[in-house]
Amino acid sequence: FNDLCTGNPKNQTSMDVVDQEVLNLDPLPPITERLKGLRPSKELLEFYRQKLTEFDGEHNEMISKLEKYKAASDNKNKLRWELAQREQEVTDLQKALGDMQVYLFQEREH
């Protein structure tokens, strides 16, 4: 036990040896370099061409949906602004009506 705690190399476990071997390995080359050596089959190329076509279609659908949502959101914001304007007009008219009622009441008293 003391040899393991002190790091005595004569008692290294097989995991220690494997760990050391992994650390000594050269890193893998970039994926682009590894793919250069591959020669894909026609079926594989056709599969990925089909996938790209599908993804392009999905992309166009998503763009279309986003444009619709943007238009709906813009319309919603416009309607909110118009509602706020109308509410302000109602408030202003109520104030004007109240002022007129006070004016008429004062005129009747004179």
Side-chain angles (χ1 to χ4, degrees), residues 3-39:
D3 290 338
L4 287 176
C5 291
T6 59
N8 191 338
K10 72 177 185 175
N11 289 329
Q12 280 186 332
T13 66
S14 61
M15 282 302 291
D16 293 334
V17 173
V18 170
D19 289 343
Q20 192 61 36
E21 289 175 359
V22 168
L23 291 175
N24 291 335
L25 290 177
D26 291 330
L28 290 173
I31 189 71
T32 52
E33 288 181 29
R34 292 188 292 169
L35 289 176
K36 285 180 185 177
L38 295 178
R39 299 286 178 233

Coordinates of all heavy atoms in Angstrom, one line a residue, residues 3-39:
D3 N 3.8 1.6 -1.2 CA 4.4 1.9 -2.6 C 3.4 2.6 -3.5 O 3.8 3.4 -4.3 CB 4.8 0.5 -3.2 CG 6.0 -0.1 -2.4 OD1 6.7 0.7 -1.8 OD2 6.2 -1.3 -2.5
L4 N 2.1 2.2 -3.4 CA 1.1 2.9 -4.3 C 1.0 4.4 -3.9 O 0.9 5.2 -4.8 CB -0.2 2.2 -4.2 CG -0.4 0.8 -4.8 CD1 -1.7 0.2 -4.5 CD2 -0.2 0.9 -6.3
C5 N 1.0 4.7 -2.6 CA 0.8 6.0 -2.2 C 2.0 6.9 -2.5 O 1.9 8.1 -2.8 CB 0.6 6.1 -0.7 SG -1.1 5.4 -0.2
T6 N 3.2 6.3 -2.5 CA 4.4 7.1 -2.7 C 4.7 7.2 -4.2 O 5.6 7.9 -4.6 CB 5.6 6.5 -2.0 OG1 5.8 5.1 -2.5 CG2 5.4 6.5 -0.5
G7 N 3.9 6.5 -5.0 CA 4.2 6.6 -6.5 C 5.3 5.7 -6.9 O 5.9 6.0 -7.9
N8 N 5.6 4.6 -6.2 CA 6.6 3.7 -6.6 C 6.2 3.0 -7.9 O 5.2 2.4 -8.1 CB 6.8 2.6 -5.5 CG 8.0 1.8 -5.7 OD1 8.5 1.7 -6.8 ND2 8.5 1.2 -4.6
P9 N 7.0 3.1 -9.0 CA 6.7 2.6 -10.3 C 6.6 1.1 -10.4 O 5.9 0.6 -11.3 CB 7.8 3.1 -11.2 CG 8.9 3.6 -10.3 CD 8.3 3.8 -9.0
K10 N 7.2 0.4 -9.5 CA 7.1 -1.1 -9.6 C 5.7 -1.6 -9.3 O 5.3 -2.7 -9.7 CB 8.1 -1.7 -8.6 CG 7.7 -1.7 -7.2 CD 8.7 -2.4 -6.3 CE 8.2 -2.4 -4.9 NZ 9.1 -3.2 -4.0
N11 N 4.8 -0.8 -8.7 CA 3.4 -1.2 -8.4 C 2.4 -0.5 -9.3 O 1.3 -0.3 -8.9 CB 3.1 -1.0 -7.0 CG 3.8 -1.9 -6.1 OD1 4.1 -3.0 -6.5 ND2 4.2 -1.5 -4.9
Q12 N 2.8 0.0 -10.5 CA 1.8 0.6 -11.4 C 0.7 -0.3 -11.8 O 1.0 -1.5 -12.1 CB 2.5 1.2 -12.6 CG 3.2 2.5 -12.4 CD 3.8 3.0 -13.7 OE1 4.0 2.3 -14.7 NE2 3.9 4.3 -13.8
T13 N -0.5 0.2 -11.9 CA -1.6 -0.7 -12.3 C -1.6 -0.6 -13.8 O -1.0 0.2 -14.5 CB -2.9 -0.2 -11.7 OG1 -3.2 1.1 -12.3 CG2 -2.9 -0.1 -10.2
S14 N -2.4 -1.6 -14.4 CA -2.6 -1.6 -15.9 C -3.3 -0.3 -16.3 O -3.0 0.1 -17.4 CB -3.3 -2.8 -16.3 OG -4.6 -2.8 -15.7
M15 N -4.1 0.3 -15.5 CA -4.8 1.5 -15.9 C -3.8 2.6 -16.0 O -3.9 3.5 -16.9 CB -5.9 1.9 -14.9 CG -7.2 1.1 -15.1 SD -7.9 1.2 -16.7 CE -8.4 2.9 -16.6
D16 N -2.8 2.7 -15.1 CA -1.7 3.7 -15.1 C -1.0 3.6 -16.4 O -0.6 4.6 -17.1 CB -0.8 3.6 -14.0 CG -1.5 3.9 -12.6 OD1 -2.4 4.7 -12.6 OD2 -1.0 3.4 -11.6
V17 N -0.7 2.4 -16.9 CA 0.1 2.1 -18.1 C -0.8 2.6 -19.3 O -0.3 3.3 -20.2 CB 0.5 0.6 -18.2 CG1 1.1 0.4 -19.6 CG2 1.4 0.2 -17.1
V18 N -2.1 2.3 -19.3 CA -3.0 2.7 -20.4 C -3.1 4.2 -20.4 O -3.0 4.8 -21.5 CB -4.4 2.0 -20.2 CG1 -5.4 2.6 -21.2 CG2 -4.2 0.5 -20.4
D19 N -3.2 4.8 -19.3 CA -3.3 6.3 -19.2 C -2.0 6.9 -19.8 O -2.1 7.9 -20.5 CB -3.5 6.8 -17.8 CG -4.9 6.4 -17.2 OD1 -5.8 6.2 -18.1 OD2 -5.1 6.5 -16.0
Q20 N -0.9 6.4 -19.4 CA 0.4 6.9 -19.9 C 0.4 6.7 -21.5 O 0.9 7.6 -22.2 CB 1.5 6.2 -19.3 CG 2.9 6.9 -19.5 CD 2.9 8.3 -18.9 OE1 2.3 8.6 -17.9 NE2 3.6 9.2 -19.7
E21 N 0.0 5.6 -22.0 CA 0.0 5.4 -23.4 C -0.9 6.4 -24.1 O -0.6 6.9 -25.2 CB -0.4 3.9 -23.7 CG 0.7 2.9 -23.4 CD 0.2 1.5 -23.6 OE1 -1.0 1.3 -24.0 OE2 1.0 0.6 -23.3
V22 N -2.1 6.6 -23.6 CA -3.0 7.6 -24.2 C -2.4 9.0 -24.2 O -2.5 9.7 -25.2 CB -4.3 7.6 -23.4 CG1 -5.2 8.8 -23.8 CG2 -5.1 6.3 -23.6
L23 N -1.7 9.3 -23.2 CA -1.0 10.7 -23.1 C 0.1 10.8 -24.2 O 0.3 11.9 -24.7 CB -0.5 10.9 -21.7 CG -1.5 11.1 -20.6 CD1 -0.8 11.3 -19.3 CD2 -2.4 12.3 -20.9
N24 N 0.7 9.7 -24.5 CA 1.8 9.7 -25.5 C 1.3 9.7 -26.9 O 2.1 9.8 -27.9 CB 2.8 8.5 -25.2 CG 3.5 8.7 -23.9 OD1 3.7 9.8 -23.5 ND2 3.9 7.6 -23.4
L25 N 0.0 9.5 -27.2 CA -0.5 9.4 -28.6 C -0.4 10.8 -29.2 O -0.7 11.8 -28.6 CB -1.9 8.9 -28.6 CG -2.1 7.4 -28.2 CD1 -3.6 7.1 -28.3 CD2 -1.4 6.5 -29.2
D26 N -0.2 10.8 -30.5 CA -0.2 12.0 -31.3 C -1.7 12.4 -31.4 O -2.5 11.5 -31.6 CB 0.4 11.9 -32.6 CG 1.9 11.7 -32.5 OD1 2.5 12.2 -31.5 OD2 2.5 11.0 -33.4
P27 N -2.0 13.7 -31.4 CA -3.4 14.1 -31.6 C -3.8 13.7 -33.1 O -3.0 13.6 -34.0 CB -3.4 15.6 -31.4 CG -2.0 16.0 -31.6 CD -1.1 14.8 -31.3
L28 N -5.1 13.5 -33.2 CA -5.7 13.1 -34.5 C -5.6 14.3 -35.4 O -5.7 15.5 -35.0 CB -7.1 12.7 -34.4 CG -7.4 11.4 -33.7 CD1 -8.9 11.2 -33.5 CD2 -6.8 10.2 -34.6
P29 N -5.4 14.1 -36.7 CA -5.4 15.2 -37.7 C -6.8 15.8 -37.8 O -7.8 15.1 -37.4 CB -4.9 14.6 -39.0 CG -5.1 13.2 -38.8 CD -5.1 12.8 -37.4
P30 N -6.9 17.0 -38.3 CA -8.2 17.6 -38.4 C -9.1 16.8 -39.3 O -8.7 16.0 -40.1 CB -8.0 19.0 -39.0 CG -6.5 19.2 -38.8 CD -5.8 17.9 -38.7
I31 N -10.4 16.9 -39.0 CA -11.4 16.1 -39.8 C -11.3 16.3 -41.3 O -11.5 15.4 -42.0 CB -12.8 16.4 -39.2 CG1 -13.8 15.4 -39.8 CG2 -13.3 17.8 -39.5 CD1 -13.7 14.0 -39.2
T32 N -11.0 17.5 -41.7 CA -11.0 17.8 -43.1 C -9.8 17.0 -43.8 O -10.0 16.4 -44.9 CB -10.7 19.3 -43.4 OG1 -9.6 19.7 -42.7 CG2 -12.0 20.1 -43.1
E33 N -8.7 16.8 -43.1 CA -7.6 16.0 -43.6 C -8.0 14.5 -43.6 O -7.7 13.8 -44.6 CB -6.4 16.2 -42.8 CG -5.7 17.6 -43.0 CD -4.4 17.7 -42.2 OE1 -3.8 16.7 -41.9 OE2 -4.1 18.9 -41.9
R34 N -8.7 14.1 -42.6 CA -9.1 12.7 -42.6 C -10.1 12.4 -43.6 O -10.1 11.3 -44.2 CB -9.6 12.3 -41.2 CG -8.5 12.4 -40.1 CD -9.0 11.8 -38.8 NE -10.0 12.7 -38.2 CZ -10.7 12.5 -37.2 NH1 -10.6 11.3 -36.6 NH2 -11.6 13.3 -36.7
L35 N -11.0 13.3 -44.0 CA -12.0 13.1 -45.0 C -11.5 13.1 -46.4 O -12.1 12.5 -47.3 CB -13.1 14.1 -44.8 CG -14.0 13.9 -43.6 CD1 -15.0 15.1 -43.5 CD2 -14.7 12.6 -43.6
K36 N -10.4 13.8 -46.6 CA -9.8 13.9 -47.9 C -9.4 12.5 -48.5 O -9.6 12.3 -49.7 CB -8.5 14.7 -47.9 CG -8.8 16.2 -47.8 CD -7.5 17.0 -47.8 CE -7.7 18.4 -47.6 NZ -6.4 19.2 -47.5
G37 N -9.1 11.6 -47.7 CA -8.7 10.2 -48.1 C -9.8 9.3 -48.4 O -9.7 8.2 -49.0
L38 N -11.0 9.7 -48.0 CA -12.2 8.9 -48.2 C -12.8 9.1 -49.6 O -12.8 10.2 -50.2 CB -13.3 9.2 -47.2 CG -12.9 8.9 -45.8 CD1 -14.1 9.3 -44.9 CD2 -12.6 7.4 -45.6
R39 N -13.3 8.0 -50.2 CA -13.9 8.1 -51.5 C -15.4 7.6 -51.3 O -15.6 6.4 -51.2 CB -13.2 7.2 -52.5 CG -11.8 7.5 -52.8 CD -11.8 8.8 -53.7 NE -10.4 9.2 -53.9 CZ -10.0 10.4 -53.7 NH1 -10.7 11.3 -53.2 NH2 -8.7 10.7 -53.9

